[in-house]
Amino acid sequence: MFHNFQELHKTIAVKLAQKLDDMALICDIIAVTDQLTIGVVGNIIRERLSYWADKGKIIVVDSRDRIGLFRNVIVKPNEIEAVRWIESEYDGAERTIEQWAEVAKELSQEVNGTCCVTLGSDGALWIDSETCILIPTRVVEPPIDIVGAGDGFAAALLCALGAGSDGPEATAFAHLAASIVIKKMGTTGTASPQEILAI
């Protein structure tokens, strides 16, 4: 495994932003995964993503430690990533759905965008300027392996949004995909269209 130990040089970040602009001209939806301690998504890239979101591009961001730095996009943290951004001193205490919803609403306001917070077996919250909806997930019996569940959820969410689904419908579809992924033991699973249709 390779790790970066310093931020991208500004010259490289600008070139990367130009490539992002080129890509954004020919696509409708953009997935952003910002999971490394030091990755390629810095201020310059976040600014370009915000610009393209303002132009109507659907942009979904999954960021482990910097979710609140993005603007005008759809952010997709899990509940721990969301609360750690809002409350730096989070102690790991259990919360009710209503309390998670308050965290999600605060994050949505901070990023000036839509927020889809996954809650594991409790489902996911979809928060935008008009709604706060809990979308339950599909119950799956053990044994399960949650490795890749978040990525499977995000991929399916992106596909459904790109195909024209609204947020809650896309979230429900993403739950179906994740329920397939977690049954594939010992591997980062996938969920094919045929497997989803068979549910």
Side-chain angles (χ1 to χ4, degrees):
M1 179 179 284
F2 296 94
H3 291 280
N4 289 333
F5 294 100
Q6 58 187 10
E7 298 287 338
L8 282 183
H9 189 278
K10 184 176 180 181
T11 302
I12 297 172
V14 168
K15 287 182 179 179
L16 186 60
Q18 290 168 346
K19 295 295 184 184
L20 172 61
D21 289 346
D22 293 343
M23 181 190 68
L25 288 171
I26 58 173
C27 69
D28 298 316
I29 189 161
I30 298 170
V32 180
T33 302
D34 178 33
Q35 301 293 327
L36 301 176
T37 302
I38 301 176
V40 299
V41 182
N43 290 334
I44 291 171
I45 298 299
R46 282 191 291 268
E47 288 170 9
R48 296 314 294 163
L49 291 167
S50 178
Y51 168 83
W52 286 109
D54 285 342
K55 295 290 184 184
K57 300 295 178 182
I58 300 170
I59 299 173
V60 178
V61 175
D62 191 351
S63 177
R64 184 166 291 147
D65 298 317
R66 292 172 288 275
I67 197 71
L69 295 179
F70 293 85
R71 295 291 178 269
N72 310 321
V73 300
I74 301 169
V75 294
K76 190 220 72 69
N78 63 36
E79 73 272 38
I80 303 304
E81 292 162 345
V83 75
R84 283 185 179 156
W85 183 265
I86 298 301
E87 302 172 19
S88 60
E89 302 299 321
Y90 173 62
D91 61 4
E94 292 290 320
R95 302 213 173 179
T96 65
I97 299 295
E98 292 77 14
Q99 289 170 322
W100 287 126
E102 289 306 311
V103 169
K105 288 176 188 175
E106 190 171 339
L107 180 59
S108 177
Q109 290 171 355
E110 185 160 340
V111 301
N112 192 40
T114 299
C115 188
C116 180
V117 176
T118 57
L119 305 172
S121 61
D122 288 329
L125 291 160
W126 180 269
I127 292 89
D128 58 29
S129 59
E130 300 174 358
T131 59
C132 177
I133 300 173
L134 174 66
I135 299 97
T137 193
R138 180 173 175 262
V139 176
V140 178
E141 295 298 321
I144 62 172
D145 182 348
I146 63 167
V147 173
D151 292 338
F153 181 97
L157 180 73
L158 283 150
C159 288
L161 290 170
S165 293
D166 65 17
E169 181 180 54
T171 303
F173 179 77
H175 280 318
L176 295 179
S179 74
I180 293 166
V181 168
I182 63 174
K183 292 300 287 182
K184 296 186 177 180
M185 308 302 291
T187 183
T188 299
T190 59
S192 69
Q194 293 77 17
E195 288 172 312
I196 294 171
L197 286 169
I199 293 178

